[in-house]
Structures are given as C-alpha cells and as structure tokens.
Amino acid sequence: MLDFTISHTDGPARRGRIRLSHGVVDTPQFMPVGTVASVKAIAPDDLDAIGAQIILGNTYHLLLRPGPQLIQELGGLHKFMAWKGSVLTDSGGFQVYSLAEKRKITEEGALFQSHLDGKKEMLSPERAMEIQCQLGSDILMAFDECPPAESDRAHHEEAVARTSRWAARCKASWLEKRAAGANPENNLFGIVQGGLHQDLRARHAAELSELDLPGYALGGFSVGEKPAAMWEGVAHAAPLLPAHKPRYLMGVGTPEDLLRCALAGVDLFDCVLPTRVARNGLLFTRRGRLQIKALRYARDPGPADPECRCYTCKTFSRAYLRHLFASQELLSYRLNTLHNLTFYIDLMAGLRAAIERGEARQYADRLLAAFAEGPDA
C-alpha cells in the first residue's frame, strides 16, 4: 500500500510525498502521459533526466494493442517500457466520454468498438481491474462514467450513481486479486464525478470516501466547461476528498490550471497537452506561450526560455527550433517535447518549494502575471 505524508501546507495547498513500490512521488506533481506505454517523442532516460517521477498509461489503449497478456508475459509495464519510476493507469473510463459514438453503456460496463479495427471490446469494473493488475501498475484507477460538462443534471446524477456502484465492484475485484497474490503493492483510486453541480460532487465524495480507498481523483473536469468554471468547481470539490489521502485531478491541463488547482489542494495532475502541442510547435515559457513556427523567430539566436534548464534551451536557438519545425524534422518533436515537459516538471517543483516557504499564492500570482506578458515582452 502507498504511504502518503504531508510535510507542509499553505492555505489549501499541500506539499507531500507518496511512497510507492517504484519510488517516491513528490507532490504537487505532474505526470507525463504515456498512453500506449510511450511518452510520445522521448525515451525513458529523457524522462529520468528531466526529473519525472511517475507517468500515466491507459487501460483501453493497451488492451487493444499490444494486449495486457503480452505485457504481463514480458514482465509488466515497467519492464516492457524500461521505466523504473512509478506508473498510474487510467481505467478506460475517460473513453466512455471520448468515444461516445463507438460505445454503449450498461450496468455491466461499457461496450466499445475499437477505433483500430472495429472489433467490440467490453470494459467492466472487473475487467478494468484485471487488465491493470496484468499491466503491473502502481496506481490503478476505478472504472467510471464521465459525462460531458454540458450534460443535463439527470445524466450527471445517473453517472454518479453508476460510478459509485462500479467503484464498489472495482474495490471487491481489486481486493480479491490482492488476496490471490496479484500485485500486492498496487493501489486503487476512486474517481468522484458530478460535473459542476456542487451538491452532486459533495454527495459523491462522501459515498466514495466510505470505500476507504488509498487515494481519490476528481474526474469530469476539463470536458467542455470554461476554465474559470473548472477552477471554481475544483476549488469546491478538492477539499471534499479525504485530507489524509492523495488527491488527483484527471486530465488537467494548462500551466494556469495546474497552479490554480494545486492552490486548491490537488496533489497529482496529468494531461496530454504539453506533449501534444509540442508536436505542433507551441512551447510553454515563463513568459507565456511561444509559437516557434512564427517567422519572427527565424533569426532569433536566443533560447526558447532563457530561464529553462532543459537540454533544448541550453543547447539550441529559437532560430534552429523554428528551422526544425519548418523542415518537419523529427528532432523538432523531441526537442520541443523535452522543453515542455521540463517546464511542467519545474513548474511543480517551484510550487512545492513555495509551499514550504509559505509563499504559494505569491509564486502562482507572479507566474500567472508573467504568462500574460508573452515571450517577447
């Protein structure tokens, strides 16, 4: 089982450590996303070099390719992808949301049509636990239903009730597999839904807290609502989760999101954003977003971010990075991704230090103001 300790607080913000079988995770922490056992464009030694402590994989995608049985036969996800740090796997619940046209939800689970070959696959709470145990994850996520933000209240109420029933089934299956000797050091997190309805969030948090799981997540944010509405929702919902257990905000988000939501008491984050936009030429800097493909950088000898410690910024100019992107060189993906992930990792490291000093709000406000100035200020 994981061990979670909180060493400092600054308002709702928490500085903590999660001890897992594959190492310590300092919180607040950002988890790079490696959906199919690979963080796109970079290797595990890159992740280690930039200071990543935990990454995310996805049950649904790994079920389709290469399959959990193969990964188990080859020693589990850590050995398969040569990653020594910790791994959290999403249960596939988000695909209940994102593959709306290719799935059917019943009490048993969700029947999906594979986006690869059209083959039908059933994901149930029990099947999600089985697959994640085969993968050898350090943190397993319960199977949940995640409605779009604009769904009517009745849909959210139905999703909350079903997610609670599924969470109980997940716990029973997880405990059964642990008793049978399957991955005795893994940990199950429950997921609180409820959309932007504060009463539903409170009710669901109370229901899932009764399951006494090792950790809890907030799902159903950043699924169509405006950022300000999400920040308000998270500020209300995060304190509803058990204070002595890790709090994880799923699928969020921008640097602004991370700062604001960590101040609300969130400990863990993940998002594809920094790697996805890196491949499209967008770089995050301490003075906001930089579109490296812009013509004005064609002769710029400076680094993408003068304050950044990453290999990209220490070695290459904006002019070279623009040349790589314009030339469609594969190296562009790697260098941009290294930078963006380093930025996210360092953003959280700086916030942890600020919480220890009692200056979390000042740290966040200073960065948020600088982001607004722009990289050419």
Side-chain angles (χ1 to χ4, degrees), residues 25-187:
V25 177
D26 292 293
T27 62
Q29 185 63 254
F30 178 78
M31 300 181 285
V33 175
T35 303
V36 294
S38 169
V39 177
K40 286 183 172 56
I42 62 174
D45 60 341
D46 294 319
L47 291 166
D48 188 56
I50 67 175
Q53 296 176 327
I54 179 171
I55 63 173
L56 181 143
N58 183 270
T59 294
Y60 165 79
H61 290 280
L62 292 171
L63 165 64
L64 299 185
R65 186 172 54 191
Q69 184 63 41
L70 184 149
I71 292 175
Q72 184 179 41
E73 290 173 1
L74 293 175
L77 197 54
H78 296 83
K79 186 174 182 180
F80 184 61
M81 63 181 298
W83 169 244
K84 296 180 180 179
S86 298
V87 173
L88 179 150
T89 45
D90 186 2
S91 66
F94 183 71
Q95 278 64 49
V96 175
Y97 161 76
S98 62
L99 299 176
E101 297 180 357
K102 297 178 181 292
R103 55 90 174 129
K104 179 181 179 181
I105 301 173
T106 67
E107 189 62 26
E108 173 61 22
L111 182 66
F112 294 95
Q113 184 178 3
S114 168
H115 67 284
L116 298 177
D117 58 12
K119 179 182 176 182
K120 291 184 177 180
E121 296 280 357
M122 168 62 78
L123 266 179
S124 66
E126 294 78 11
R127 181 64 171 138
M129 294 299 98
E130 178 184 19
I131 293 170
Q132 291 181 82
C133 284
Q134 288 177 303
L135 296 176
S137 315
D138 297 283
I139 296 176
L140 292 64
M141 298 306 300
F143 193 56
D144 66 320
E145 181 181 354
C146 175
E150 67 273 11
S151 300
D152 59 33
R153 181 184 173 91
H155 188 178
H156 283 289
E157 288 182 331
E158 182 181 355
V160 162
R162 180 177 286 117
T163 297
S164 288
R165 295 191 296 270
W166 282 357
R169 286 167 56 187
C170 284
K171 180 180 178 180
S173 177
W174 170 62
L175 291 177
E176 179 182 349
K177 294 183 185 308
R178 286 173 62 89
N183 295 25
E185 295 183 342
N186 64 19
N187 304 273

Side-chain angles (χ1 to χ4, degrees), residues 190-253:
I191 305 174
V192 172
Q193 293 289 348
L196 298 177
H197 302 282
Q198 294 189 358
D199 60 325
L200 293 185
R201 287 281 178 182
R203 182 203 309 171
H204 203 207
E207 288 177 2
L208 292 192
S209 294
E210 293 180 1
L211 293 176
D212 193 26
L213 299 173
Y216 289 89
L218 295 173
F221 284 112
S222 194
V223 287
E225 74 277 19
K226 294 184 181 299
M230 183 190 72
W231 300 333
E232 181 181 353
V234 171
H236 168 262
L240 301 173
L241 304 181
H244 61 294
K245 296 185 178 182
R247 299 166 174 170
Y248 165 30
L249 178 58
M250 305 182 74
V252 176

Side-chain angles (χ1 to χ4, degrees), residues 274-312:
T275 50
R276 176 175 291 169
V277 300
R279 301 191 299 276
N280 293 317
L282 190 152
L283 304 177
F284 294 103
T285 78
R286 285 155 183 80
R287 290 195 175 275
R289 292 159 170 77
L290 186 154
Q291 289 281 2
I292 198 63
K293 58 188 173 186
L295 181 60
R296 63 181 174 275
Y297 301 126
R299 297 180 181 275
D300 192 329
D305 185 346
E307 300 177 58
C308 183
R309 65 176 173 91
C310 79
Y311 171 70
T312 302

Side-chain angles (χ1 to χ4, degrees), residues 296-355:
R296 63 181 174 275
Y297 301 126
R299 297 180 181 275
D300 192 329
D305 185 346
E307 300 177 58
C308 183
R309 65 176 173 91
C310 79
Y311 171 70
T312 302
C313 289
K314 293 294 185 185
T315 312
F316 303 104
S317 65
R318 292 178 178 182
Y320 183 66
L321 296 178
R322 183 188 182 277
H323 160 69
L324 291 178
F325 186 84
S327 302
Q328 300 183 340
E329 282 292 326
L330 295 181
L331 182 58
S332 175
Y333 290 175
R334 178 172 184 265
L335 296 182
N336 292 351
T337 300
L338 278 173
H339 168 75
N340 277 356
L341 286 181
T342 301
F343 176 85
Y344 269 60
I345 294 293
D346 287 357
L347 184 73
M348 292 291 93
L351 181 56
R352 291 194 297 271
I355 294 171

